[in-house]
Coordinates of all heavy atoms in Angstrom, one line a residue:
T1 N 11.1 -1.9 -9.7 CA 10.2 -0.9 -10.3 C 10.8 0.5 -10.3 O 11.7 0.7 -9.5 CB 8.8 -0.8 -9.8 OG1 8.0 0.0 -10.6 CG2 8.9 -0.3 -8.3
Q2 N 10.5 1.4 -11.2 CA 11.0 2.8 -11.3 C 9.9 3.7 -10.9 O 10.1 4.6 -10.1 CB 11.5 3.1 -12.7 CG 12.8 2.5 -12.9 CD 13.4 3.0 -14.3 OE1 12.5 3.4 -15.2 NE2 14.7 2.8 -14.5
N3 N 8.6 3.4 -11.2 CA 7.6 4.5 -11.0 C 6.4 4.0 -10.1 O 6.1 4.6 -9.2 CB 6.9 5.0 -12.4 CG 8.1 5.7 -13.2 OD1 8.8 6.5 -12.7 ND2 8.2 5.3 -14.5
N4 N 5.9 2.8 -10.6 CA 4.8 2.2 -9.8 C 4.8 0.7 -9.9 O 5.6 0.1 -10.7 CB 3.4 2.8 -10.2 CG 3.2 2.5 -11.8 OD1 3.3 1.4 -12.2 ND2 3.0 3.6 -12.6
F5 N 4.0 0.1 -9.0 CA 3.9 -1.4 -9.1 C 2.4 -1.8 -8.8 O 1.7 -1.1 -8.2 CB 4.9 -2.0 -8.0 CG 4.5 -1.7 -6.7 CD1 3.7 -2.5 -5.9 CD2 5.1 -0.6 -5.9 CE1 3.3 -2.4 -4.6 CE2 4.6 -0.3 -4.6 CZ 3.8 -1.3 -4.0
H6 N 2.2 -3.0 -9.3 CA 0.8 -3.6 -9.1 C 1.0 -4.6 -8.0 O 1.9 -5.4 -7.9 CB 0.4 -4.3 -10.4 CG 0.4 -3.3 -11.4 ND1 -0.6 -2.3 -11.7 CD2 1.1 -3.3 -12.6 CE1 -0.4 -1.7 -12.9 NE2 0.6 -2.4 -13.4
L7 N 0.0 -4.5 -6.9 CA 0.0 -5.4 -5.8 C -1.2 -6.4 -6.1 O -2.3 -5.8 -6.2 CB -0.1 -4.6 -4.5 CG -0.2 -5.4 -3.1 CD1 0.3 -4.5 -2.1 CD2 -1.6 -5.8 -2.9
T8 N -1.0 -7.7 -5.8 CA -2.0 -8.6 -6.0 C -2.0 -9.5 -4.7 O -1.0 -10.1 -4.4 CB -1.8 -9.6 -7.2 OG1 -1.8 -8.7 -8.4 CG2 -3.0 -10.5 -7.4
M9 N -3.2 -9.7 -4.1 CA -3.3 -10.5 -3.1 C -4.7 -11.4 -3.1 O -5.7 -10.6 -2.9 CB -3.1 -9.9 -1.6 CG -3.0 -10.9 -0.6 SD -2.9 -10.1 1.1 CE -4.6 -9.6 1.3
P10 N -4.8 -12.6 -3.4 CA -6.0 -13.2 -3.6 C -6.7 -13.1 -2.3 O -6.3 -13.4 -1.2 CB -5.6 -14.8 -3.9 CG -4.3 -14.6 -4.5 CD -3.5 -13.5 -3.8
G11 N -8.0 -12.8 -2.4 CA -8.9 -12.7 -1.2 C -8.7 -11.5 -0.3 O -9.2 -11.5 0.8
A12 N -8.1 -10.4 -0.8 CA -7.7 -9.3 0.1 C -9.1 -8.6 0.3 O -10.1 -8.5 -0.4 CB -6.9 -8.4 -0.7
N13 N -9.1 -8.0 1.6 CA -10.3 -7.2 2.1 C -10.2 -5.9 1.3 O -9.2 -5.3 1.0 CB -10.1 -7.0 3.6 CG -11.3 -6.4 4.2 OD1 -11.8 -5.4 3.7 ND2 -11.8 -7.0 5.2
A14 N -11.5 -5.4 0.9 CA -11.6 -4.2 0.2 C -11.1 -3.0 1.0 O -10.8 -2.0 0.4 CB -13.1 -3.9 -0.2
D15 N -11.0 -3.2 2.3 CA -10.6 -2.0 3.1 C -9.2 -2.3 3.6 O -8.8 -1.7 4.5 CB -11.6 -2.0 4.4 CG -12.9 -1.4 4.0 OD1 -13.1 -0.7 3.1 OD2 -13.9 -2.0 4.7
A16 N -8.5 -3.1 2.8 CA -7.0 -3.4 3.3 C -6.2 -2.1 3.3 O -6.3 -1.2 2.4 CB -6.5 -4.4 2.2
Q17 N -5.3 -2.0 4.2 CA -4.4 -0.9 4.3 C -3.0 -1.3 3.8 O -2.7 -2.6 3.8 CB -4.1 -0.5 5.9 CG -5.3 0.0 6.6 CD -5.0 0.3 8.0 OE1 -3.8 0.3 8.3 NE2 -6.0 0.5 8.8
I18 N -2.4 -0.4 3.0 CA -1.2 -0.7 2.3 C -0.1 0.3 3.1 O -0.3 1.4 3.1 CB -1.2 -0.5 0.8 CG1 -2.3 -1.4 0.3 CG2 0.1 -0.8 0.2 CD1 -2.6 -1.1 -1.2
Q19 N 1.0 -0.3 3.5 CA 2.1 0.5 4.1 C 3.4 0.2 3.5 O 3.6 -1.0 3.1 CB 2.1 0.3 5.6 CG 0.8 0.6 6.4 CD 0.8 0.1 7.7 OE1 1.7 -0.7 8.2 NE2 -0.2 0.4 8.5
I20 N 4.3 1.1 3.4 CA 5.5 0.8 2.8 C 6.6 1.4 3.7 O 6.4 2.5 4.2 CB 5.7 1.6 1.4 CG1 4.7 1.1 0.4 CG2 7.1 1.3 0.9 CD1 4.8 1.7 -0.9
Y21 N 7.6 0.6 4.1 CA 8.6 0.9 5.1 C 10.0 0.9 4.4 O 10.2 -0.1 3.5 CB 8.6 -0.2 6.3 CG 7.4 -0.1 7.2 CD1 6.2 -0.7 6.9 CD2 7.5 0.6 8.3 CE1 5.1 -0.7 7.6 CE2 6.4 0.7 9.2 CZ 5.2 0.0 8.8 OH 4.1 0.1 9.7
N22 N 10.8 1.7 4.9 CA 12.2 1.7 4.5 C 13.1 0.7 5.3 O 12.5 0.2 6.3 CB 12.9 3.1 4.3 CG 12.8 3.8 5.7 OD1 12.8 3.1 6.8 ND2 13.1 5.1 5.8
L23 N 14.3 0.6 5.1 CA 15.1 -0.4 5.9 C 15.5 0.1 7.3 O 15.9 -0.6 8.1 CB 16.3 -0.6 5.2 CG 16.3 -1.5 3.9 CD1 17.5 -1.9 3.2 CD2 15.3 -2.8 4.1
L24 N 15.1 1.4 7.5 CA 15.2 1.9 9.0 C 14.0 1.6 9.8 O 13.9 1.9 11.0 CB 15.5 3.4 9.0 CG 16.9 3.8 8.3 CD1 16.9 5.3 8.3 CD2 18.0 3.2 9.0
G25 N 13.0 0.9 9.1 CA 11.7 0.6 9.8 C 10.7 1.8 9.9 O 9.7 1.8 10.6
Q26 N 11.0 2.8 9.0 CA 10.1 4.0 9.0 C 9.1 3.8 7.9 O 9.3 3.4 6.8 CB 11.0 5.3 8.7 CG 12.1 5.5 9.7 CD 13.0 6.6 9.2 OE1 13.3 6.8 8.1 NE2 13.6 7.4 10.2
C27 N 7.9 4.2 8.2 CA 6.8 4.1 7.3 C 6.8 5.4 6.4 O 6.7 6.5 6.8 CB 5.3 4.0 8.0 SG 4.0 3.9 6.9
V28 N 7.1 5.1 5.1 CA 7.3 6.2 4.2 C 6.1 6.4 3.2 O 5.9 7.4 2.5 CB 8.5 6.0 3.3 CG1 9.8 5.9 4.1 CG2 8.5 4.6 2.5
R29 N 5.2 5.4 3.4 CA 3.9 5.6 2.6 C 2.8 4.9 3.3 O 3.0 3.7 3.6 CB 4.1 5.0 1.1 CG 2.9 5.2 0.2 CD 2.6 6.6 -0.1 NE 3.7 7.5 -0.4 CZ 4.3 7.5 -1.7 NH1 3.8 6.6 -2.7 NH2 5.3 8.2 -1.9
F30 N 1.7 5.5 3.4 CA 0.5 4.9 4.1 C -0.7 5.2 3.2 O -1.0 6.4 3.0 CB 0.3 5.5 5.5 CG -1.0 4.9 6.2 CD1 -1.1 3.6 6.6 CD2 -2.1 5.8 6.3 CE1 -2.3 3.2 7.1 CE2 -3.3 5.3 6.8 CZ -3.4 4.0 7.2
V31 N -1.3 4.1 2.8 CA -2.5 4.3 2.0 C -3.7 4.0 2.7 O -4.0 2.9 3.1 CB -2.4 3.3 0.7 CG1 -3.6 3.6 -0.2 CG2 -1.1 3.5 -0.1
N32 N -4.4 5.1 3.1 CA -5.6 5.0 3.9 C -6.8 4.4 3.1 O -7.0 4.7 1.9 CB -6.0 6.3 4.4 CG -7.2 6.3 5.5 OD1 -8.2 5.7 5.3 ND2 -6.8 6.9 6.6
P33 N -7.4 3.3 3.7 CA -8.5 2.6 2.9 C -9.7 3.5 2.6 O -10.5 3.2 1.7 CB -8.9 1.5 3.9 CG -8.4 1.9 5.2 CD -7.2 2.7 5.0
D34 N -9.9 4.7 3.3 CA -11.0 5.5 3.0 C -10.6 6.3 1.6 O -11.6 6.8 1.1 CB -11.0 6.6 4.1 CG -11.5 6.0 5.4 OD1 -12.2 4.9 5.3 OD2 -11.3 6.5 6.5
S35 N -9.3 6.4 1.3 CA -9.0 7.1 0.1 C -8.5 6.3 -1.0 O -8.4 6.7 -2.2 CB -8.0 8.2 0.4 OG -6.8 7.6 0.8
F36 N -8.4 5.0 -0.7 CA -7.8 4.1 -1.8 C -8.5 2.7 -1.5 O -8.4 2.2 -0.4 CB -6.4 4.0 -1.8 CG -5.7 3.3 -2.8 CD1 -5.3 3.9 -4.0 CD2 -5.6 1.9 -2.8 CE1 -4.7 3.2 -5.1 CE2 -4.9 1.2 -3.8 CZ -4.6 1.8 -4.9
R37 N -8.9 2.1 -2.6 CA -9.6 0.8 -2.5 C -8.9 -0.3 -3.4 O -8.6 0.0 -4.5 CB -11.0 0.9 -2.8 CG -11.9 1.8 -1.9 CD -12.2 1.2 -0.8 NE -13.0 2.2 0.2 CZ -13.6 1.9 1.3 NH1 -13.5 0.6 1.7 NH2 -14.3 2.8 1.9
I38 N -8.6 -1.5 -2.8 CA -8.3 -2.6 -3.7 C -9.5 -3.1 -4.5 O -10.5 -3.1 -4.0 CB -7.7 -3.7 -2.8 CG1 -6.4 -3.4 -2.2 CG2 -7.6 -5.0 -3.7 CD1 -5.8 -4.5 -1.4
D39 N -9.3 -3.2 -5.7 CA -10.5 -3.5 -6.6 C -10.9 -4.9 -6.4 O -10.4 -5.7 -5.6 CB -10.1 -3.3 -8.1 CG -9.0 -4.2 -8.8 OD1 -8.9 -5.3 -8.2 OD2 -8.3 -3.8 -9.7

């Protein structure tokens, strides 16, 4: 992807946390469930 991507996971919890790591193992994006919800 260049700009955004769609994440799909059957049966995901509405309060699921989403984290993105680089290859150094550093968390470069953390999506807090209080500010973002899986539909």
Side-chain angles (χ1 to χ4, degrees):
T1 184
Q2 288 185 333
N3 299 313
N4 56 55
F5 66 92
H6 303 289
L7 181 152
T8 302
M9 188 180 79
N13 189 313
D15 293 326
Q17 297 180 9
I18 303 171
Q19 302 167 350
I20 301 178
Y21 290 82
N22 61 21
L23 291 186
L24 296 176
Q26 300 168 327
C27 183
V28 296
R29 182 65 46 82
F30 172 75
V31 184
N32 192 305
D34 292 334
S35 60
F36 188 91
R37 301 278 179 172
I38 290 180
D39 66 26

